[in-house]
Amino acid sequence: MFGRTKAQNRPEVTITAQEDSNSNSLIRIRNLNKYFDSFHCLFDINLDVALGEVVVVIGPSGSGKSTLCRCINRLETISSGVIEVAGKPVPAEGRELAQLRAQAGMVFQSFNLFSHLTVRQNVALAPIKVRRLSKDRANALAMELLGRVGMADHAHKHPGQLSGGQQQRVAIARALAMEPRVLLCDEPTSALDPEMIQEVLDVLTGLAAEGMTMLVVTHEMGFARKAADRVVFMDGGRVLDVAPPEQFFTNPRNDRAADFLAKVLTH
Amino acid sequence: MDVIAGNLDVFGQGLLISIQISVSTFVLAGGLGLLLTVCRISPVLPLRLAATAYVELVRSIPLLVLLILFVFGLPEIGLVGPLLGTAVVAMSLYWATFFSETMRSGVRAVPQGQIEAARALGFTFGQVLRLVVLPQALRTIIQPLASLLIAIVLNSSLAAAVGVTQELTGQTQLLDQRYAQPLVTFGAAAICYVAMAFIIGRSAGYLDRRLAVQR
Ligand SMILES: Nc1ncnc2c1ncn2[C@@H]1O[C@H](COP(=O)(O)OP(=O)(O)O)[C@@H](O)[C@H]1O
Ligand SMILES: [Mg+2]
């Protein structure tokens, strides 16, 4: 009933399981189920994210948004179903998994910068150790990316010396340094003071405009309207609606989505 | 006091051997303790169980009993090694359990989010440990490690009880047998131990301030 949108020209989201693979899909999720012991956290999720697409995931707390993100790069194991990134199933273990993880950059709510390293080292470490770039090249790359997020002047500092917004911008640069195919952002602004939210959203909006493929969990409706190609609404571990932002915000088809929007937007 | 002045070289020699025993023990126990720690946080259940069992068992045996077992017990089943080496091995096996406990608390102090971020960047289990977990864990346990080193230095004197006469306490016992002035000779030995503990404590404080992780 819901979500069977086949908006023309839009990479489609399939709520039904039978859809064929979409060769355009950078992320392809089919019949994903996730249990924490006996607790059924994600129910039969089907979702595609196309190359260059920005998908925003919204939904009440506890609806499984973080778990979905974490399943995509296997920070959580999945119980059943298939997740493919760039056409390859996400492997369960080992070096292959590490390689695949590198293709899906992750930005966390709590930044998670390495506190014993400087800002520049935070960004350069993975390119040196995982991509095996030379130190010089990795440092040059780090400085370039820090410039892009407006943090080049702080390259020598430690994370503890930065504001939340600054830390999150560094975390974005760190994820980009792996040159990922897709960026997964799990509530990137939820831990920030209000005056710092915009500087992070600006960076994300810029990336979206440059064609970065992104899956962003957020409560920032302004960002969703502006940057999203599609909005996914989740509740109780299910995807309840997938729609273009225009339609989703002005005329939500799903009752619970309408409820949720009413609550969030009045705040 | 003449006893001290006339035997400075004896104390010096004893001190040197004690330091050698302590440093060898610290290094060996540190290596084994690290191995135990890695096993205990590894995803492999048998490794976790084996390492935990080792720690629980060995730290429950008094060090002196362990030393006697190694130095006098093992030869009974044909295992004879050089005395000093055997004592160092026994002490290392013992102190490794304390290393492991200390390191584990350091590892637990590393925020889980940073470990996840490292995994998400594509680091392998070994890289996460080497590049993110251990450097931070070590910074948080500098002071506890110093306490451990002090305990190792002080308890290296137990080696004298199994016949390692070269080290500080052993040398002092020999002087005591010769001069029968225990207050003076053991008083001097005590001062040597206090000095070592003091230096270790101060160095650790300095390192801790230099390397502290800002959060
Ligand atoms: N490691 C875990 N163990 C058990 N339950 C979990 C775990 N992580 C998440 N959950 C549960 O799964 C549900 C979805 O959580 P989460 O994905 O964090 O939701 P959201 O990000 O939408 O707030 C919640 O009910 C949460 O309690
Ligand atoms: Mg969440």
Side-chain angles (χ1 to χ4, degrees):
Chain A
M1 171 182 84
F2 20 70
R4 202 111 356 135
T5 61
K6 288 222 174 178
Q8 289 76 13
N9 319 330
R10 270 183 198 286
E12 71 184 29
V13 171
T14 50
I15 301 280
T16 50
Q18 295 81 8
E19 293 293 336
D20 276 337
S21 93
N22 183 339
S23 60
N24 227 1
S25 297
L26 200 53
I27 299 178
R28 184 169 169 271
I29 302 173
R30 288 293 175 276
N31 303 326
L32 167 64
N33 280 280
K34 168 70 185 172
Y35 291 83
F36 288 110
D37 296 323
S38 62
F39 173 66
H40 200 165
C41 177
L42 294 175
F43 290 82
D44 260 324
I45 306 280
N46 290 281
L47 183 68
D48 285 81
V49 180
L51 191 67
E53 198 186 16
V54 176
V55 172
V56 161
V57 180
I58 67 175
S61 163
S63 55
K65 308 179 298 294
S66 294
T67 306
L68 176 61
C69 271
R70 296 162 56 81
C71 283
I72 293 174
N73 68 359
R74 274 286 204 283
L75 286 178
E76 298 287 355
T77 57
I78 67 177
S79 305
S80 70
V82 182
I83 300 179
E84 290 178 3
V85 174
K88 286 197 204 112
V90 179
E93 301 250 321
R95 209 160 268 281
E96 263 177 63
L97 174 58
Q99 267 164 17
L100 189 127
R101 281 202 177 120
Q103 304 199 359
M106 185 115 179
V107 175
F108 300 85
Q109 181 173 343
S110 47
F111 332 131
N112 298 338
L113 293 179
F114 305 130
S115 29
H116 62 303
L117 300 179
T118 65
V119 163
R120 181 179 51 72
Q121 289 169 331
N122 261 278
V123 180
L125 186 65
I128 294 170
K129 299 295 179 180
V130 182
R131 293 178 62 199
R132 310 226 166 262
L133 296 190
S134 71
K135 283 200 172 128
D136 288 345
R137 280 191 59 197
N139 282 328
L141 173 67
M143 290 312 297
E144 181 203 320
L145 289 168
L146 287 170
R148 268 172 67 183
V149 299
M151 289 297 296
D153 291 346
H154 303 270
H156 60 283
K157 292 188 182 167
H158 279 81
Q161 298 167 283
L162 304 178
S163 74
Q166 292 174 325
Q167 289 190 53
Q168 192 62 299
R169 286 187 279 149
V170 173
I172 293 170
R174 178 177 68 176
L176 292 177
M178 288 304 292
E179 305 198 335
R181 309 284 300 269
V182 54
L183 201 58
L184 310 168
C185 305
D186 187 8
E187 303 204 24
T189 58
S190 296
L192 297 177
D193 293 333
E195 73 271 19
M196 293 168 190
I197 290 177
Q198 200 53 45
E199 67 189 53
V200 171
L201 291 182
D202 287 346
V203 169
L204 293 178
T205 311
L207 287 173
E210 287 167 29
M212 186 80 205
T213 310
M214 297 201 278
L215 184 78
V216 185
V217 179
T218 186
H219 296 296
E220 294 300 324
M221 301 303 164
F223 173 78
R225 273 174 191 269
K226 191 156 114 193
D229 293 306
R230 284 181 303 152
V231 175
V232 171
F233 177 73
M234 287 184 70
D235 193 12
R238 297 170 207 268
V239 170
L240 293 187
D241 195 9
V242 182
E246 261 314 298
Q247 180 188 339
F248 181 82
F249 287 109
T250 50
N251 185 20
R253 288 165 298 181
N254 180 275
D255 290 346
R256 274 192 266 179
D259 257 16
F260 178 73
L261 282 177
K263 273 188 208 132
V264 180
L265 293 178
T266 50
H267 283 170
Chain B
M1 284 302 150
D2 296 347
V3 183
I4 309 297
N7 289 289
L8 276 181
D9 57 326
V10 178
F11 280 106
Q13 199 56 35
L15 196 59
L16 201 66
I17 300 290
S18 283
I19 290 173
Q20 282 173 4
I21 293 175
S22 304
V23 170
S24 320
T25 303
F26 190 73
V27 170
L28 280 177
L32 181 56
L34 181 62
L35 190 68
L36 286 169
T37 309
V38 171
C39 289
R40 291 175 82 180
I41 59 177
S42 83
V44 187
L45 184 66
L47 286 183
R48 287 206 300 274
L49 291 179
T52 306
Y54 176 88
V55 170
E56 305 255 321
L57 176 70
V58 174
R59 73 170 175 195
S60 312
I61 303 171
L63 179 52
L64 184 56
V65 172
L66 204 60
L67 278 167
I68 293 171
L69 274 175
F70 268 71
V71 173
F72 302 117
L74 289 186
E76 276 186 35
I77 54 169
L79 289 172
V80 193
L83 176 59
L84 194 62
T86 307
V88 166
V89 167
M91 290 194 283
S92 300
L93 292 173
Y94 175 79
W95 290 113
T97 63
F98 292 86
F99 258 102
S100 165
E101 285 295 290
T102 306
M103 287 176 185
R104 213 158 60 105
S105 73
V107 167
R108 265 200 297 260
V110 179
Q112 191 61 32
Q114 291 187 35
I115 296 171
E116 295 203 327
R119 286 168 62 206
L121 283 166
F123 291 129
T124 59
F125 175 75
Q127 286 178 318
V128 175
L129 269 183
R130 217 160 19 83
L131 301 171
V132 177
V133 175
L134 293 179
Q136 289 194 60
L138 285 177
R139 280 170 171 81
T140 62
I141 58 169
I142 290 172
Q143 301 277 20
L145 281 186
S147 302
L148 197 50
L149 179 55
I150 290 173
I152 289 173
V153 170
L154 302 189
N155 285 290
S156 69
S157 63
L158 283 175
V162 290
V164 182
T165 50
Q166 310 94 305
E167 57 82 59
L168 183 56
T169 301
Q171 291 290 295
T172 312
Q173 280 172 335
L174 294 182
L175 288 179
D176 181 47
Q177 284 162 17
R178 192 141 33 112
Y179 300 98
Q181 294 186 31
L183 194 61
V184 175
T185 49
F186 281 99
I191 289 171
C192 291
Y193 284 113
V194 168
M196 284 193 280
F198 180 79
I199 292 170
I200 294 167
R202 278 309 169 98
S203 315
Y206 173 75
L207 275 180
D208 198 36
R209 281 189 301 278
R210 284 285 314 268
L211 298 175
V213 181
Q214 299 188 22
R215 295 206 198 283

